[in-house]
Amino acid sequence: MDGTAANDQIASPRRAPSQQRSRERVERMLAAASALIAEQGSDAMRMGEVAERAEVSIGSLYQFFPDKRAIVWALAERYTVESQACISAALKDVNDAEGLGRAFSELVDIYYGLFLAEPVMRDIWSGTQADKALRQLELADSRANAEFLVAVLKRLRPGADPVSLETTAFLIWQMGEAVMRLAISVERQEGDRLVAAYKRMALRELLAE
């Protein structure tokens, strides 16, 4: 088995719960892990602490999550699914430049607000660059979000080169991820300015004729 396959196997939950009782138990595990990460960060979190707070045996925890990286992966996937649903809903009915500018600006503000308010989300994505599996998840997320944006751009610019639109949209979403990590690593005032500058730059490109 090569290194990439091994990393992917470690990062993913061991098996998905099939019964309601098992699903409820997994939810308690993830809720417990979220609370611990919010309190002390994922590096300090221990599997025994997760099991104790979730009121499950350590064996039951390992049955679904082979290590804490698998827990972090599951939480990251959850945030990814939620964010994609939000982005899809915000962009699906956009049909003009004004609507795109408004929707994109609001999405950036929502995303920035989540990073500021959710310590678990900050913890997960601040470590993305050091974890190959999470990096791949982030890239897949950016590509998926870019597709929502491409659909809007094709409606606004039906004669534009689709490959160019796809490249622009993917780059804008990926830059957004980087901007958020930078914004939460500096003082709040500077972070706000960085996010505002990103919105201006991105919108100039998105709304260019």
Side-chain angles (χ1 to χ4, degrees):
M1 179 182 297
D2 62 28
T4 301
N7 284 341
D8 289 344
Q9 188 176 43
I10 291 170
S12 301
R14 182 171 293 173
R15 69 179 179 85
S18 58
Q19 299 179 345
Q20 179 65 24
R21 185 173 159 188
S22 296
R23 288 194 291 271
E24 291 172 354
R25 192 158 62 241
V26 167
E27 285 301 315
R28 291 206 310 275
M29 295 172 190
L30 292 176
S34 292
L36 287 166
I37 292 172
E39 292 167 12
Q40 61 192 31
S42 58
D43 286 344
M45 181 180 71
R46 298 291 176 265
M47 295 293 278
E49 294 177 308
V50 176
E52 182 178 358
R53 185 166 296 201
E55 299 181 340
V56 299
S57 69
I58 191 68
S60 181
L61 178 63
Y62 279 119
Q63 184 179 18
F64 294 100
F65 302 102
D67 58 19
K68 69 178 183 180
R69 285 185 68 237
I71 295 176
V72 171
W73 173 272
L75 291 171
E77 281 190 314
R78 177 165 295 186
Y79 280 119
T80 295
V81 169
E82 290 173 355
S83 69
Q84 287 182 12
C86 177
I87 292 164
S88 175
L91 295 177
K92 68 182 178 69
D93 295 324
V94 172
N95 289 299
D96 55 44
E98 182 181 353
L100 175 57
R102 183 171 55 252
F104 182 83
S105 182
E106 289 174 354
L107 283 170
V108 172
D109 289 340
I110 290 170
Y111 203 46
Y112 183 39
L114 284 174
F115 266 93
L116 291 171
E118 291 286 347
V120 178
M121 191 173 181
R122 289 201 304 273
D123 184 281
I124 290 171
W125 293 116
S126 64
T128 295
Q129 300 306 308
D131 188 309
K132 187 171 183 179
L134 284 180
R135 176 64 177 154
Q136 292 303 313
L137 180 62
E138 182 190 89
L139 285 173
D141 184 39
S142 290
R143 291 189 188 281
N145 292 333
E147 286 301 313
F148 301 135
L149 189 53
V150 167
V152 177
L153 293 176
K154 285 181 176 178
R155 291 197 290 272
L156 300 185
R157 306 181 208 166
D161 175 22
V163 174
S164 177
L165 295 182
E166 290 166 7
T167 300
T168 296
F170 178 50
L171 182 58
I172 284 172
W173 280 119
Q174 191 57 37
M175 285 175 60
E177 298 284 356
V179 168
M180 293 303 158
R181 273 194 294 271
L182 178 59
I184 63 173
S185 69
V186 298
E187 293 294 329
R188 175 64 188 272
Q189 261 190 329
E190 185 178 12
D192 291 351
R193 291 197 300 271
L194 289 167
V195 172
Y198 164 71
K199 285 199 293 185
R200 289 194 300 271
M201 293 166 62
L203 285 171
R204 275 200 300 270
E205 183 64 28
L206 288 173
L207 301 179
E209 294 295 335

